[in-house]
């Protein structure tokens, strides 16, 4: 990896890439996917991972925002990138892992460098550790993804924090690409920890089981959506998963029902969930061995959390619902070319306003209730979609569920549930509507109904795309 990274860095310098230039990466995980990242750090460039499953519109957004000098791409996304560049009248150098007409093959990047060039290569000095090293994109759950600027200090902090993940003594598996902060940081950790890493194909529950059994994986990270699908896979009992000592879940709140089910199906495995944001540079809270199921655990060392009244800014006490605000030593430098959005989320005292409705209990455990912007208003009453989702998710035939609002001419909004079913299991809309009616207050009734989908839409970072579901609900609204 070192040899290839140096050769890649030499090639980039020969193309005129230098300190501060932006280098984009648009690829799935494979043996060479992280080489340009390391090479970019070597020359002091700013690395900008893209989602390789993007469409032309999203590629244009990425391209228009960061204007990268060089783009490294897999064959799958090369065509989208070339099309977006043509529309944008932008001409970056495009390097492809493989071959694609009109691009430079990655194999050519590694050729033509003398032994002395490689042997005498020196990394570019970074004078200010607080300078931006990486631009990662936000989840984009409520709008187009924003560029989150993370400093070299965040990278150093990640590398120094190996013991918190016990990464020197594990065989890890994750499915996050470099587009996710987890994919980027875990790749750094595995290299600096000299850890054998398993690179798996695209996620599906059977693949997880096969890879864990074959390679005796001990450390697994799944997004919340992946964890929900994994625990509902009816073939779990067909595999020997006893090597798996830790399963870490993150990305969105894992419901208590799902965490309990994972603990039941994986008796040899410690299942922990954590809470973090790309804007925070990683985690701010994580469960410990004795944490309450369904919580996000307690604040991690060197970080702070407070819960405030979203209207007054007043700091709230235990068991009081409000907006979660956090401070970490790895907080972002701000959104790239978006000072207004930066001011909206980062206040003058350095607190990042998460937009999450949350509370903490007497033990200091944090519980996420919902996104503040996703609260549904019905005749003046506030409905938290998560309460309905928790109830529906507990049904054995429900694979994934998301509750959003559907506009109503007299009642403000009605809750509507979008549901995907567990394969080979059945449940009717009437059954789910009745389940809510019989277990929750009248205001929580699914007055918007239940809509079954073969698969719920997801954002490029793996979260359920409420934006797409809201658009669907709006199109169904009574005019």
């Amino acid at each position: 990896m070192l040899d290839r990274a140096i050769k890649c860095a030499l090639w980039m310098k020969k193309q005129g890439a230098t300190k501060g230039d932006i280098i984009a990466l648009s690829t799935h995980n494979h043996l060479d996917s992280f080489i340009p990242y390391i090479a970019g750090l070597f020359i002091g460039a700013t690395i900008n991972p893209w989602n390789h499953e993007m469409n032309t519109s999203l590629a244009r957004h990425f391209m228009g925002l960061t204007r990268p000098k060089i783009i490294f791409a897999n064959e799958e996304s090369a065509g989208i990138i070339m099309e977006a560049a043509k529309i944008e009248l932008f001409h970056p150098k495009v390097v492809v892992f493989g071959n694609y007409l009109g691009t430079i093959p990655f194999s050519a990047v590694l050729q033509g460098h003398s032994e002395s060039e490689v042997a005498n290569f020196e990394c570019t000095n970074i004078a200010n550790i607080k300078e931006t090293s990486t631009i990662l994109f936000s989840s984009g759950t409520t709008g187009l993804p924003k560029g989150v600027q993370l400093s070299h200090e965040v990278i150093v902090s990640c590398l120094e924090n190996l013991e918190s993940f016990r990464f020197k003594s594990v065989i890890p598996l994750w499915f996050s690409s470099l587009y996710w902060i987890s994919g980027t940081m875990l790749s750094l950790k595995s290299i600096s920890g000299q850890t054998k890493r398993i690179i798996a194909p695209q996620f599906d529950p059977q693949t997880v089981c096969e890879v864990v059994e074959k390679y005796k994986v001990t450390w697994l990270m799944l997004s919340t959506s992946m964890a929900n699908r994994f625990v509902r896979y009816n073939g779990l009992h067909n595999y020997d998963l006893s090597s798996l000592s830790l399963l870490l879940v993150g990305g969105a709140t894992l419901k208590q029902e799902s965490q309990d089910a994972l603990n039941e199906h994986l008796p040899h495995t410690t299942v922990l969930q954590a809470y973090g944001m790309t804007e925070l540079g990683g985690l701010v809270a994580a469960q410990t061995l004795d944490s309450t199921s369904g919580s996000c655990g307690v604040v991690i060392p060197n970080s702070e959390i407070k819960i405030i009244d979203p209207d007054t800014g007043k700091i709230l006490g235990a068991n009081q619902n409000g907006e979660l605000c956090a401070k970490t030593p790895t907080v972002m430098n701000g959104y790239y070319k978006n000072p207004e959005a930066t001011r909206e989320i980062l206040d003058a005292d350095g607190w990042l306003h998460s937009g999450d409705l949350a509370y903490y209990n007497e033990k200091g455990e944090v519980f996420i209730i919902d996104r503040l912007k996703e609260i549904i208003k019905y005749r003046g009453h506030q409905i938290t979609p998560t309460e309905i989702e928790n109830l529906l998710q507990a049904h054995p035939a429900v694979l994934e569920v998301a509750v959003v609002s559907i506009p109503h001419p007299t009642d403000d909004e009605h809750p509507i549930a979008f549901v995907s079913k567990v394969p080979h299991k059945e449940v009717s809309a009437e059954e789910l509507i009745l389940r809510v009616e019989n277990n929750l207050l009248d205001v929580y009734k699914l007055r918007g109904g239940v809509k079954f989908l073969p698969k719920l839409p997801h954002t490029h970072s793996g979260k359920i795309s409420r934006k797409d579901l809201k658009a669907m609900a709006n199109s169904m609204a009574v005019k």
Side-chain angles (χ1 to χ4, degrees):
M1 287 185 79
L2 177 60
D3 180 71
R4 293 166 89 81
I6 289 174
K7 288 175 179 175
C8 184
L10 286 167
W11 178 86
M12 286 196 283
K13 290 180 79 171
K14 289 172 184 176
Q15 309 310 308
T18 186
K19 185 176 178 180
D21 283 337
I22 293 177
I23 308 295
L25 304 176
S26 175
T27 182
H28 63 291
N29 293 327
H30 54 84
L31 289 175
D32 277 329
S33 58
F34 207 63
I35 298 297
Y37 193 105
I38 303 169
L41 290 178
F42 283 177
I43 68 169
T46 301
I47 319 300
N48 178 214
W50 293 6
N51 175 46
H52 66 278
E53 296 177 317
M54 64 195 167
N55 56 22
T56 305
S57 175
L58 192 59
R60 288 184 64 190
H61 169 65
F62 291 161
M63 198 173 287
L65 181 63
T66 61
R67 311 297 280 185
K69 192 175 188 76
I70 303 170
I71 303 174
F72 290 83
N74 60 4
E75 292 177 339
E76 177 188 351
S77 63
I80 297 289
I81 289 168
M82 299 296 279
E83 184 180 350
K86 186 177 179 181
I87 297 169
E88 289 290 312
L89 301 176
F90 182 58
H91 307 288
K93 290 187 183 298
V94 180
V95 179
V96 171
F97 298 105
N99 289 283
Y100 193 90
L101 188 65
T103 68
I104 303 162
F106 182 70
S107 57
V109 166
L110 304 178
Q111 296 169 5
H113 311 290
S114 68
E115 288 185 16
S116 63
E117 280 183 306
V118 174
N120 296 320
F121 177 80
E122 291 186 3
C123 293
T124 299
N125 183 49
I126 304 298
N128 182 2
I129 199 170
K130 295 189 182 295
E131 289 177 2
T132 296
S133 72
T134 305
I135 299 174
L136 293 172
F137 286 110
S138 62
S139 301
T141 50
T142 56
L144 286 170
K146 295 183 281 289
V148 179
Q149 300 179 96
L150 299 179
S151 68
H152 292 280
E153 190 172 25
V154 174
I155 302 292
V156 172
S157 175
C158 167
L159 299 183
E160 289 179 339
N161 202 22
L162 287 170
E163 287 309 312
S164 65
F165 281 87
R166 293 172 291 171
F167 240 52
K168 290 188 177 179
S169 57
V170 301
I171 299 174
L173 172 66
W174 64 88
F175 293 85
S176 318
S177 71
L178 301 179
Y179 181 70
W180 298 24
I181 188 171
S182 54
T184 291
M185 296 304 179
L186 291 175
S187 296
L188 286 165
K189 283 179 179 291
S190 66
I191 294 167
S192 57
Q194 301 169 42
T195 305
K196 176 168 71 175
R197 174 188 167 191
I198 311 301
I199 297 178
Q202 197 168 358
F203 170 85
D204 71 68
Q206 184 176 337
T207 297
V208 176
C209 293
E210 290 173 351
V211 173
V212 169
E213 182 179 71
K214 181 175 180 179
Y215 295 101
K216 305 302 177 191
V217 171
T218 63
W219 191 100
L220 173 65
M221 180 176 182
L222 297 176
S223 70
T224 309
S225 173
M226 290 174 183
N228 282 324
R229 284 177 277 167
F230 179 63
V231 75
R232 286 162 178 77
Y233 174 52
N234 58 15
L236 282 180
H237 61 279
N238 296 328
Y239 297 89
D240 178 9
L241 307 177
S242 59
S243 66
L244 194 60
S245 60
L246 180 69
L247 168 57
L248 183 67
V249 183
T253 305
L254 183 70
K255 312 291 192 290
Q256 182 179 350
E257 164 77 21
S258 294
Q259 187 163 4
D260 290 344
L262 283 166
N263 283 320
E264 180 184 335
H265 289 298
L266 302 169
H268 304 289
T269 308
T270 300
V271 180
L272 300 177
Q273 65 170 309
Y275 174 85
M277 293 174 67
T278 307
E279 289 87 343
L280 291 170
L283 302 181
V284 70
Q287 287 186 332
T288 56
L289 294 177
D290 60 349
S291 289
T292 303
S293 181
S295 76
C296 294
V298 295
V299 185
I300 64 172
N302 301 320
S303 298
E304 297 176 81
I305 279 178
K306 67 178 178 180
I307 305 295
I308 65 167
D309 183 312
D311 296 321
T312 66
K314 177 188 173 186
I315 297 176
L316 303 176
N319 300 306
Q320 292 182 284
N321 297 346
E323 183 179 17
L324 185 150
C325 299
K327 269 187 184 180
T328 67
T330 55
V331 70
M332 68 172 179
N333 285 342
Y335 291 123
Y336 186 65
K337 292 183 180 176
N338 199 338
E340 184 180 343
T342 302
R343 284 192 296 270
E344 286 177 3
I345 194 171
L346 264 177
D347 67 27
D349 296 321
W351 287 97
L352 188 136
H353 294 245
S354 70
D356 287 322
L357 186 66
Y359 71 92
Y360 63 89
N361 63 14
E362 293 84 354
K363 293 166 62 180
E365 294 176 316
V366 178
F367 293 80
I368 305 297
I369 301 170
D370 229 316
R371 293 288 294 167
L372 281 168
K373 291 180 180 177
E374 284 157 13
I375 299 296
I376 298 170
K377 303 284 181 66
Y378 169 72
R379 294 186 177 181
H381 298 278
Q382 290 193 340
I383 300 169
T384 53
T386 299
E387 284 197 57
I388 305 173
E389 291 167 357
N390 285 345
L391 183 63
L392 298 182
Q393 189 78 71
H395 193 288
V398 173
L399 179 62
E400 283 196 295
V401 57
V403 174
V404 300
S405 63
I406 184 168
H408 191 272
T410 59
D411 296 341
D412 298 325
E413 296 171 328
H414 284 171
I416 176 173
F418 289 91
V419 176
S420 64
K421 299 178 193 175
V422 174
H424 313 302
K425 291 192 177 181
E426 285 300 323
V427 61
S428 67
E430 292 73 21
E431 186 180 347
L432 295 179
I433 289 169
L434 200 60
R435 185 180 180 93
V436 173
E437 190 174 327
N438 291 340
N439 290 279
L440 296 177
L441 296 172
D442 178 76
V443 297
Y444 281 82
K445 281 183 183 178
L446 288 170
R447 290 174 167 84
V450 172
K451 173 77 172 174
F452 290 105
L453 299 176
K455 183 180 178 183
L456 296 193
H458 288 79
T459 68
H460 300 294
S461 58
K463 299 177 184 178
I464 292 173
S465 177
R466 294 180 182 272
K467 181 174 61 176
D468 289 344
L469 294 177
K470 283 179 181 176
M472 210 178 296
N474 287 338
S475 69
M476 299 161 59
V478 178
K479 303 299 181 185

